Amino acid sequence: MTVEPLVLGALERTTETDVIIIGGGATGAGLARDCSRRGIKCVLFERGDLATGATGRNHGLLHSGARYAVTDRDSAKECIEENYILRKIARHCVDETDGLFITLPEDDLEYQKNFIKACQDAGIAAEALEPKDAKELEPSANPSLIGAVKVPDGVIDPFRLTVANMLDAVKHGAKCYTYHEVMAILKEGARVVGVRVLDKLSKEEYEVRAQVVVNASGIWGTLIGSLAGVDIKMFPTRGTLLIMGHRINQLVINRCRKPADADILVPGDTVCLIGTTSIPIKFSQLDTTRVSYQEVELLITEGAKLCPKLTTARKIRCYAGSRPLVADEADTTGRKTSRHLVLMDHEKRDGLSGFITITGGKLITYRLMAEKATDLICEKLKLKVPCDTATAVLPGSGESPDKILRKVAPLAPTVRAAIVSRHGDLAPLVESDTPSASSLVCECELVSVGEIKHAIESLAVHNLVDLRRRVRIGMGPCQGELCVGRATGLMTAAKLCTPDKAPGELASFLEERWKGIYPLNWGETIRESEFVMWLYQSICGLTRADSPNPAPPEHLEDEAPTESP
Amino acid sequence: MNPLLSTNFDACTKCTICTEYCPVSQVRPAFAGPKQSGPDGERQRLKDAAFYSEALKYCTNCKRCEVACPSNVHIGDEIALARKKFAPYNLSPRDAILSHTDFMGSMATMAAPIVNFMANLAPTKFFLDKFLGIPSWRSFPRYANKTFRAWFSDNAPDQSVYKDTVTLFHGCFVNYNNPSLGKDALKLLNALGVGVRLLAGERCCGVPLIASGFFQDALDNATTNKASIEKALENTERIVIPSSTCTMTLRDEYPEVLQIDNSSWRDRIDLLPRYFYRLLEEGRELKFKPMEKVVAYHTACHMEKLGWTAYSIDLLRLIPGIKLILLPSLCCGIAGTYGFKKENSPTAQKIGEPLFDLIKGSGCSLVVSECETCKMQIEMCTGLPCENPVTILADALI
């Protein structure tokens, strides 16, 4: 069977459709998939690239729900159900690692008993391990642990997941427009009839009409709501994570206690991530997520309690995202938030028809959120089509890696393994049978020329940073030192960039990397960043003037944590 | 250090200078080079064993990558450790023959004249080439009629007359193939007023076993040697070794690759020229007769790793009349048993070519190297004799 090529980005403009989805995170992409599979015409508008908000800025944890079992059984149940669904429908995005909840001498071992009971009540397989067995299972875990529980946690790649959902949506007729910002919500009386979008690449604005507009823009949902004239109260809370240079742990390591800061260490692809913090921020700070040294220090200190090796292992970068925490509408004080998915029918809530908001929730519940929202859309469009997203596998997840491996035959077996791990059963679409196609662009993450060409041609890549989200270039320890120059060349060859704009493209990629490096720029990290600077600035002559944002960055001062708005 | 806690490969800044210095990468594109096979590959292998590449066996374990690395990453060790962890068990009889030097040596020396005669017969060579994969054009080291150990116990002069004593780790090559180098070492040490003992039980250091993937056998040898060395060091100050590779193995491969703790005695393992140098610094003397020869010094890869070429060079310069040429530090390609394997021999020859050309063009009549397999390779490929500096110093001794 040959693999059918899919092209993610839509070329033609759409002016009329059934449903407009605002936001290209996991939820938006999941919605596009669900709608299109149910035969509803839909278009998705994303102001940047796919998975740039909270979707791409979390642990990538395939929650078993154990973390919520004690405090929030409903969430826990949702998690474990979605967990097993995603293992089946998105297996090329999932790493079935399992997870440990460890009890340290300073923790209360009593909590473990409640925890196991709560997990069992929620339907989560939780197995208590002897400390000796736990240490054997996960040698990097703190050796002073006095108890451990094994749960079916796992890891999920949010970028790959979002792209796979969008590919399936496109396959079923949906249209995907990245770099399209919604400037206005069009209303006729008490009815939303469409949106006016700005194509940020051509700088042109145009109107698109639809029967239903869905606000799936995460924490930015408040702003979209205000464009429609409805008040959605949200509390942006920054969560910061720190990435280590290699995969230290093989299982997810959690603390068996009431959830707190920096108590989850997740092995993600070639790295591992410790997080998170939880700091309330202002809406004005949403698009300038900065990380402070204090947060980094907290992550290292607390993280080392899970896994002592974190103190010595190299840190490569940090990043922060904003949780889409929504005010609990039942709570009159307006300060309580919910971690549940929140579906708002603005017709019932605000008397504004044709407008829906889906927000809250977690990465792992994106599919369920999409299902609930699509059910409501169907109701509004008077359709009765059942949802099949829990059983239909995503593009890429159709076949087992062993079978796919036999269909791909590049020269180096490691390159082949990398392509299959990132593209699943779509791997045969990646050109890999010539020495030049299988030669490496990104050596840390084993990204070949063929894979970059595939991403450029079919995965809606507009710049180097988009390319990174598709194929992991520049996500390894050197943060773009070797690959970014080579990738710029390939982008230029593909006419996505011109030779005169290439230095700017290169500079903005390096600046984006630098944002995540500077708060932890010491030790091995500073040796690397100095080396990159030496290469690009001193040898290649790249200067700040080449950057599209030549103003000096404002990140050099730490901001104090702010009050919630 | 517990390898689970080691984050050594984290220090790699991806500068790629190791790959620039890798003799194999230059001539064999199938080998991804030290950076890709070592620190880069390690990150992938931690994720999934599917990222282990069989091409790691093309690494010669020359350690030039480690010398080149500005970040002190133990690249060669990492490659060896990855092979130890992931490579399928080596079932090749050829590799077993090539790497089990003690067994082969003790068998062969029992009937050395026959073995040496047979080994150079065309039918034998044909058989070795076709069925075992050892190229027929290679010359083999000759086996001695009597091992060095046997000679030492029967014929060595009384060593108890010397106040100071040192323990000689002779190595397999001296024992089975080249006992005269052991005798030369004895001659020089005695001339410096130092008596010699041998280890009660000496086994092959294990480097050929590591190279062919027989890690358990290497570990067994290392464990025996560790016990013998610790016993010997109760009565003698140092262990001295004529071979650069054995020295490097005992000092660095034991802790890094075999996880044998040698921290209490690592610094007491010395290469012979370095030990001689120490004694001369202390004020002892050696008197040399003139030697009117052009001699080219070749830095073996493991000498490069030890960083001790200066001792040998300074010592050789004590010989009056000697004209010493320092060759650029290049790999000769043989890398122990690597070049004896048919699938590797074209690579080995290609790696060595620039060095052979330099030697042939230098006008020297003798090459010097502390490495026994460099000796075999250089002698075969240049037609010139290649000797350990110990032999040259002993020859010049008055």
Side-chain angles (χ1 to χ4, degrees):
Chain A
M1 199 189 83
T2 54
V3 184
E4 219 180 301
L6 288 168
V7 178
L8 202 60
L11 300 171
E12 305 286 315
R13 273 181 194 162
T14 308
T15 51
E16 186 128 20
T17 186
D18 292 339
V19 174
I20 289 169
I21 298 157
I22 306 170
T27 311
L31 252 167
R33 176 184 191 227
D34 206 334
C35 284
S36 60
R37 291 189 73 95
R38 295 201 218 186
I40 303 167
K41 282 195 286 179
C42 60
V43 297
L44 181 145
F45 292 117
E46 162 56 50
R47 63 168 198 162
D49 184 29
L50 296 172
T52 39
T55 297
R57 298 177 165 273
N58 56 66
H59 266 113
L61 175 58
L62 185 77
H63 271 292
S64 61
R67 185 173 171 82
Y68 307 112
V70 174
T71 50
D72 184 349
R73 185 181 304 173
D74 293 339
S75 280
K77 276 186 173 164
E78 265 172 26
C79 283
I80 191 67
E81 279 164 22
E82 290 300 311
N83 177 310
Y84 281 106
I85 291 171
L86 290 177
R87 283 171 200 247
K88 273 183 280 175
I89 67 161
R91 65 170 156 186
H92 79 293
C93 311
V94 168
D95 192 348
E96 299 181 271
T97 58
D98 283 338
L100 282 184
F101 276 76
I102 62 168
T103 308
L104 295 179
E106 61 263 44
D107 302 332
D108 183 8
L109 203 51
E110 276 300 303
Y111 188 87
Q112 198 196 63
K113 281 184 201 150
N114 300 334
F115 173 78
I116 295 175
K117 170 88 176 45
C119 282
Q120 283 161 350
D121 290 348
I124 302 160
E127 180 198 344
L129 300 178
E130 287 297 316
K132 176 174 68 69
D133 298 333
K135 282 181 259 182
E136 199 169 306
L137 193 64
E138 182 47 71
S140 74
N142 190 335
S144 65
L145 62 90
I146 55 168
V149 182
K150 193 173 108 181
V151 297
D153 277 346
V155 183
I156 187 151
D157 187 307
F159 302 111
R160 223 173 280 166
L161 180 72
T162 308
V163 166
N165 273 279
M166 210 55 234
L167 281 172
D168 200 33
V170 168
K171 190 174 163 186
H172 290 88
K175 295 271 195 309
C176 167
Y177 299 91
T178 54
Y179 296 96
H180 276 63
E181 186 164 355
V182 170
M183 306 305 286
I185 303 278
L186 307 178
K187 288 202 280 190
E188 280 174 9
R191 175 166 192 84
V192 168
V193 294
V195 297
R196 194 171 79 242
V197 289
L198 166 68
D199 177 343
K200 290 165 101 173
L201 299 175
S202 70
K203 311 243 181 328
E204 285 167 14
E205 283 193 28
Y206 61 100
E207 292 185 355
V208 188
R209 300 177 81 84
Q211 300 182 57
V212 182
V213 173
V214 190
N215 172 16
S217 49
I219 191 68
W220 290 270
T222 301
L223 308 173
I224 297 293
S226 68
L227 288 180
V230 297
D231 182 35
I232 303 167
K233 203 161 173 54
M234 296 181 96
F235 299 108
T237 329
R238 182 172 72 199
T240 300
L241 294 106
L242 182 64
I243 312 178
M244 315 301 290
H246 69 275
R247 189 171 177 147
I248 298 168
N249 52 327
Q250 296 302 325
L251 275 74
V252 178
I253 310 177
N254 304 263
R255 262 311 255 287
C256 195
R257 63 169 189 197
K258 206 167 145 276
D261 281 351
D263 60 355
I264 316 179
L265 180 66
V266 177
D269 215 291
T270 50
V271 296
C272 60
L273 313 106
I274 180 74
T276 66
T277 58
S278 185
I279 296 171
I281 55 166
K282 293 177 192 152
F283 270 96
S284 59
Q285 295 171 311
L286 265 188
D287 293 333
T288 51
T289 35
R290 297 174 198 159
V291 175
S292 66
Y293 299 103
Q294 289 85 342
E295 281 175 278
V296 171
E297 213 167 284
L298 174 90
L299 289 169
I300 298 172
T301 323
E302 284 299 309
K305 294 178 187 165
L306 295 173
C307 167
K309 205 172 165 182
L310 287 201
T311 43
T312 52
R314 172 162 167 189
K315 289 95 194 156
I316 55 177
R317 74 185 276 110
C318 55
Y319 62 98
S322 291
R323 298 176 181 86
L325 293 183
V326 192
D328 192 335
E329 304 225 324
D331 177 57
T332 47
T333 65
R335 298 199 65 85
K336 229 176 120 191
T337 62
S338 162
R339 293 218 170 191
H340 281 284
L341 66 91
V342 176
L343 176 62
M344 294 175 187
D345 180 351
H346 294 288
E347 186 174 354
K348 285 186 187 148
R349 186 179 179 266
D350 308 288
L352 182 67
S353 65
F355 191 53
I356 292 173
T357 294
I358 177 79
T359 188
K362 290 171 284 289
L363 174 65
I364 190 164
T365 56
Y366 89 93
R367 193 209 59 82
L368 186 66
M369 292 164 74
E371 179 179 338
K372 300 258 176 184
T374 312
D375 286 347
L376 182 60
I377 293 166
C378 283
E379 196 186 304
K380 294 200 174 293
L381 298 177
K382 303 194 172 41
L383 288 168
K384 274 195 176 147
V385 193
C387 171
D388 71 348
T389 56
T391 47
V393 297
L394 286 164
S397 288
E399 280 185 303
S400 71
D402 295 346
K403 278 194 186 158
I404 310 161
L405 271 173
R406 274 180 244 135
K407 296 185 184 172
V408 196
L411 300 174
T414 47
V415 178
R416 186 171 64 162
I419 293 171
V420 172
S421 79
R422 278 191 284 268
H423 301 275
D425 62 14
L426 299 180
L429 294 174
V430 178
E431 183 195 342
S432 51
D433 51 0
T434 61
S436 67
S438 66
S439 64
L440 290 181
V441 175
C442 172
E443 297 176 30
C444 299
E445 298 296 322
L446 293 173
V447 186
S448 62
V449 170
E451 197 178 345
I452 299 238
K453 282 187 177 164
H454 168 68
I456 289 175
E457 281 159 20
S458 337
L459 300 178
V461 168
H462 294 286
N463 54 51
L464 284 170
V465 184
D466 295 357
L467 191 60
R468 172 178 68 76
R469 291 188 200 97
R470 302 297 182 278
V471 296
R472 289 188 68 82
I473 62 155
M475 284 170 109
C478 76
Q479 294 286 293
E481 169 198 311
L482 294 173
C483 59
V484 62
R486 297 169 183 162
T488 310
L490 290 169
M491 294 280 285
T492 311
K495 308 257 186 287
L496 277 178
C497 183
T498 53
D500 58 317
K501 290 201 175 122
E505 184 68 21
L506 218 151
S508 37
F509 184 92
L510 290 171
E511 272 172 12
E512 189 274 335
R513 294 283 88 187
W514 171 243
K515 271 200 288 182
I517 298 170
Y518 82 86
L520 43 99
N521 205 17
W522 62 80
E524 303 296 359
T525 318
I526 200 168
R527 291 182 66 240
E528 186 74 66
S529 63
E530 286 289 304
F531 185 59
V532 173
M533 193 180 80
W534 178 68
L535 269 178
Y536 284 102
Q537 191 176 321
S538 308
I539 295 186
C540 302
L542 196 70
T543 64
R544 179 153 291 284
D546 292 314
S547 162
N549 318 301
E554 297 159 26
H555 57 239
L556 298 169
E557 264 174 60
D558 283 343
E559 61 191 36
T562 46
E563 286 290 305
S564 65
Chain B
M1 192 182 192
N2 180 348
L4 288 170
L5 293 173
S6 161
T7 51
N8 176 265
F9 67 88
D10 261 355
C12 173
T13 58
K14 316 296 164 195
C15 71
T16 322
I17 200 160
C18 54
T19 303
E20 278 300 301
Y21 274 85
C22 173
V24 184
S25 299
Q26 318 287 334
V27 299
R28 193 167 198 167
F31 180 58
K35 169 176 164 289
Q36 270 286 293
S37 310
D40 285 359
E42 193 60 23
R43 292 180 68 248
Q44 304 289 337
R45 294 188 288 265
L46 282 171
K47 172 171 88 165
D48 188 345
F51 286 89
Y52 172 73
S53 165
E54 268 295 300
L56 260 58
K57 69 178 176 201
Y58 300 140
C59 166
T60 63
N61 200 26
C62 74
K63 309 279 191 206
R64 283 185 187 264
C65 50
E66 295 189 6
V67 178
C69 179
S71 308
N72 194 26
V73 178
H74 301 181
I75 310 162
D77 296 343
E78 247 153 44
I79 295 173
L81 285 169
R83 294 181 60 202
K84 182 176 168 187
K85 192 166 162 195
F86 297 107
Y89 189 75
N90 189 345
L91 293 170
S92 152
R94 188 259 334 256
D95 291 358
I97 289 172
L98 286 176
S99 59
H100 289 73
T101 49
D102 276 326
F103 178 77
M104 290 309 294
S106 40
M107 288 295 161
T109 42
M110 282 196 280
I114 305 168
V115 172
N116 292 335
F117 173 71
M118 293 282 289
N120 286 303
L121 287 183
T124 316
K125 292 211 152 191
F126 179 82
F127 171 82
L128 290 174
D129 190 312
K130 289 287 170 282
F131 296 99
L132 286 180
I134 301 173
S136 59
W137 46 264
R138 277 228 80 92
S139 46
F140 302 119
R142 296 178 63 81
Y143 283 100
N145 295 345
K146 191 173 187 178
T147 64
F148 174 71
R149 288 187 85 85
W151 174 86
F152 188 86
S153 69
D154 299 346
N155 310 76
D158 181 14
Q159 297 295 308
S160 62
V161 299
Y162 301 99
K163 190 164 69 68
D164 302 319
T165 57
V166 77
T167 303
L168 179 71
F169 184 102
H170 46 68
C172 303
F173 189 71
V174 164
N175 198 31
Y176 304 114
N177 306 96
N178 192 12
S180 69
L181 172 55
K183 295 173 198 170
D184 292 337
L186 187 69
K187 187 171 155 192
L188 281 162
L189 286 165
N190 288 172
L192 284 158
V194 177
V196 173
R197 295 181 190 192
L198 301 187
L199 284 175
E202 181 189 315
R203 293 228 215 145
C204 163
C205 65
V207 88
L209 295 165
I210 293 171
S212 286
F214 298 100
F215 288 97
Q216 188 52 49
D217 296 345
L219 186 62
D220 291 347
N221 282 11
T223 311
T224 307
N225 285 338
K226 175 181 154 89
S228 306
I229 288 168
E230 284 171 0
K231 187 102 185 63
L233 288 174
E234 287 170 12
N235 300 312
T236 53
E237 189 212 341
R238 275 172 191 277
I239 309 285
V240 292
I241 308 177
S243 154
S244 49
T245 294
C246 301
T247 310
M248 194 273 304
T249 306
L250 260 53
R251 288 173 57 95
D252 299 332
E253 299 285 89
Y254 277 19
E256 300 287 347
V257 178
L258 300 174
Q259 276 89 51
I260 291 270
D261 181 11
N262 68 356
S263 53
S264 64
W265 45 268
R266 181 179 180 270
D267 290 344
R268 292 164 77 186
I269 303 285
D270 233 338
L271 187 75
L272 264 173
R274 187 168 180 255
Y275 183 64
F276 295 153
Y277 191 92
R278 245 178 231 283
L279 297 177
L280 295 178
E281 288 265 278
E282 277 175 18
R284 304 194 194 206
E285 275 182 63
L286 282 175
K287 287 206 170 63
F288 296 109
K289 57 189 180 227
M291 180 191 263
E292 301 297 332
K293 266 187 188 168
V294 180
V295 176
Y297 181 85
H298 159 64
T299 308
C301 296
H302 293 163
M303 275 307 284
E304 188 70 67
K305 173 72 166 64
L306 289 168
W308 292 347
T309 52
Y311 300 108
S312 299
I313 291 162
D314 266 18
L315 286 172
L316 289 167
R317 283 191 172 135
L318 295 177
I319 301 173
I322 195 165
K323 186 162 183 286
L324 197 62
I325 298 169
L326 299 183
L327 295 165
S329 179
L330 293 169
C331 177
C332 75
I334 189 79
T337 55
Y338 186 88
F340 282 94
K341 298 173 182 172
K342 199 175 175 182
E343 69 277 18
N344 293 335
S345 53
T347 306
Q349 296 315 105
K350 258 194 215 162
I351 292 174
E353 253 165 45
L355 177 71
F356 309 145
D357 290 346
L358 280 167
I359 292 174
K360 284 187 261 185
S362 71
C364 71
S365 61
L366 178 63
V367 185
V368 199
S369 176
E370 291 83 351
C371 173
E372 53 283 334
T373 56
C374 291
K375 170 185 163 75
M376 297 177 205
Q377 175 82 334
I378 289 169
E379 289 182 346
M380 187 187 85
C381 299
T382 64
L384 291 167
C386 177
E387 297 299 345
N388 192 297
V390 172
T391 297
I392 294 166
L393 292 169
D395 283 351
L397 207 59
I398 294 173

